[in-house]
Amino acid sequence: MCGIAGFWCKRGMPGVDVLSAMTGAIAHRGPDDTGSWQDLDAGVALGHRRLSILDLSPEGHQPMVSASGRYVIVFNGEVYNFAELRRELEPTGCRFRGHSDTEVMLAAIETWGLEPAVKRFIGMFAFALWDREKRCLSLVRDRLGIKPLFFGWAAGALVFGSELKALRAYPGFQNPVDRNALTLLLRHNYIPAPYSIYEGIHKLMPGTILQLDADAASAPRSLEDLAGHTTTYWSTRQVMEQGAADRFDGSEAEAVQQLDELLRDAIGMRMVADVPLGAFLSGGIDSSTVVALMQAQSDRPVKTFSIGFHEGEYDEAYHAKAVAGYLGTDHTELYVTPQEALDVIPDLPRLYDEPFADSSQIPTFLVSRLARDHVTVSLSGDGGDELFGGYNRYFWAQRLWSQLGWMPAPLRMAMAGTLRMGPPAFWDRALGLAMPMLPRRLRTRMPGDKVQRLAEVLSMPSPDALYRQLVSHWTSPADIVLGAREPLTALTDSARRADLAEYAGRMMYTDLVSYLPDDILTKVDRASMGVSLEARVPLLDHRVVEFAGRVPPDLKIRQGEGKWLLRQVLYRYVPQELIDRPKMGFGVPIDHWLRGPLRDWAETLLDERRLREEGFFDPAPIRRKWSEHLSGRHNWHYYLWDVLMFQAWQETVRS
């Protein structure tokens, strides 16, 4: 796991100190080694920061030149099947100096070509490859978008890197804030690929190869212009559409067995490391499955880590402890005080590098920091919800639409108005009394917020519009950001929608290509790499994803409960009573903190005069929500946190 950076400058090659500044800005991604390589004639420079995981010797040093001398690579990530590929390559005459996956990647590219080689890689990766013969730069990102890669044009050069701070270190970087992208932050709490917070800077889309020659790299290119230089080597949309057309037709027992075998192999691959290894454990289905299958393949107790909170509604640590005790792991838990969590907030803009407003970024960083005290690699359970139907919104939206969609729109609007009459605190009290009498699958924490969201979605004209509303914060962000127009995304661009008949399947697909890479995986990457920890996500092995695409809907969501198939695998290793409980988010009480210890900080950032002078936002709706939140009439913390994270980010980049 590493960090990469570089540039292609056609006019006046900058000195090596520029590349050092770019890689130095992401030193946390690779504290063990640094390297650089330049082609002075072409104006290309490649830089690398290394976190040594495999082949700790100098033979794993990057940038790395291929055996023939034709290719030079800087690589962030892991290719887990490199040993198998190496065995295939050796009979063709390939010889290897060391034991790194990087060297195998180069040999595979020389032997089979770039795209055929990438299609055979099992792993997470983002890399830049310079072809000295064709004078072509290729930027490549893994299938699901586990590893980040930014690129674009600044100060007359093509620049790229693992994080935006590497690009900002290039001399003369003055790209302005992209106001259109800012609207996406307000809608989603993240900025989805291919957009970034800066004009002229893009995120490489998952599953793609971008190839640029000297002419293409010499001048800024729009996203439309880049389409002709981009190849999609793996498509989530095609995988899900083909899976729907070729459903798994075996028995339920066969489906459970096949998923068990796939997960065992995916997890076993990710347990290979030359440094200490462990896993995050929340006690939920996904992380418990990963840990159970790790322990089943380990001859010693697996090191597991969890974070606990003293606020019971946010605490999962005791569930994790019970699972760890049953499996016999070497478990470490840390109960965090509110002040310890609050102390992380000033570092969030620097850590996440562009405005990012998923408040679970705080506990994710805390558990990463805890794990890094003991291990260098940690496995994570991310991806199970999107693949196997775990989010409450999948069956909640489906049930809601089936029950309410038949109603005339005026009646739904009237119902919404009735629900809005009571503030969330009223519904929390009223429904809190009834909650113990409800079936477990219907129990939820903060029911007042759920009622508030229900009121928002009752007037939606279609099930897909309902889903979009469910995953939106500010529903008209272009009215909040001055001089902005909201760009098309996977939620709004009909050309990017998958042709899937099942409503839940469409929701899961959309999350796979938006929420998963741009929120969940971004959160885990920045939090873990911020403390020099490698996080591996075995549930997102593309073979598991392809199998999940073929799994019939009734093996994912059954009787109002998600992840049925994944649960059956887990029940082979952990008793059902340790697992079955209402789903909890990995969050912190931001709503309470904004009324308490964060109030002064937030008030400074949301000051009406300040907002007006900075000129990005219309202050009126923001101040209105801030006032309503402070009064307790509404919980607007999601909306406010989006704005606050942008405001705090601005302070960081200006300083």
Side-chain angles (χ1 to χ4, degrees), residues 271 275-279 281 290-305 323-332 374-375 377:
M271 293 175 67
V275 293
L277 175 142
L281 179 61
V290 169
V291 170
L293 288 168
M294 289 177 73
Q295 193 60 70
Q297 300 177 77
S298 178
D299 58 2
R300 66 185 66 182
V302 171
K303 294 180 182 296
T304 54
F305 307 94
V323 173
Y326 181 84
L327 292 173
T329 71
D330 179 4
H331 189 59
T332 301
H374 303 269
V375 299
V377 177

Side-chain angles (χ1 to χ4, degrees), residues 181-200:
L182 182 53
T183 67
L184 299 177
L185 173 72
L186 297 193
R187 180 175 293 280
H188 302 287
N189 78 223
Y190 59 85
I191 299 174
Y195 309 104
S196 89
I197 191 59
Y198 290 116
E199 292 183 11

Side-chain angles (χ1 to χ4, degrees), residues 395 399 441 557-562:
F395 30 96
R399 186 188 311 123
R441 62 186 176 84
I557 299 174
R558 181 172 292 189
Q559 296 178 341
E561 188 171 68

